[in-house]
Amino acid sequence: MIRYTLQCSQGHAFDQWFDNMADYDARHADGSLSCPDCGDTAISKALMAPALGAAARTPAMPALPPCAGGGCGGGVCPAMAD
């Protein structure tokens, strides 16, 4: 299922669910889409922002000790250690 925000030629915006992109294309081509507010059949897709999900949480890394004042000890940064 895919949801599109559609807009009629009168400026009314509404959401509509479709089985897939081809379902929208077919219904748009045959003129079976209409505005629920005014019945207009001149329908187009409105600009939409992608739905982005929250990033998957990863376990927190343990805090690393700070580098010494003169740089990392022994030339090896603790942050780069395996």
Side-chain angles (χ1 to χ4, degrees):
M1 296 290 288
I2 188 168
R3 182 183 71 182
Y4 288 129
T5 298
L6 304 177
Q7 186 171 352
C8 74
S9 65
Q10 302 302 310
H12 301 124
F14 58 98
D15 289 343
Q16 182 81 35
W17 286 95
F18 298 92
D19 291 335
N20 50 44
M21 292 183 334
D23 181 30
Y24 166 80
D25 292 339
R27 291 178 60 190
H28 184 260
D30 71 13
S32 65
L33 297 174
S34 63
C35 175
D37 292 330
C38 66
D40 187 6
T41 57
I43 305 296
S44 62
K45 291 181 192 174
L47 291 177
M48 295 174 39
L52 302 176
R57 293 197 170 259
T58 57
M61 293 185 61
L64 297 172
C67 293
C72 294
V76 178
C77 179
M80 300 305 287
D82 290 313

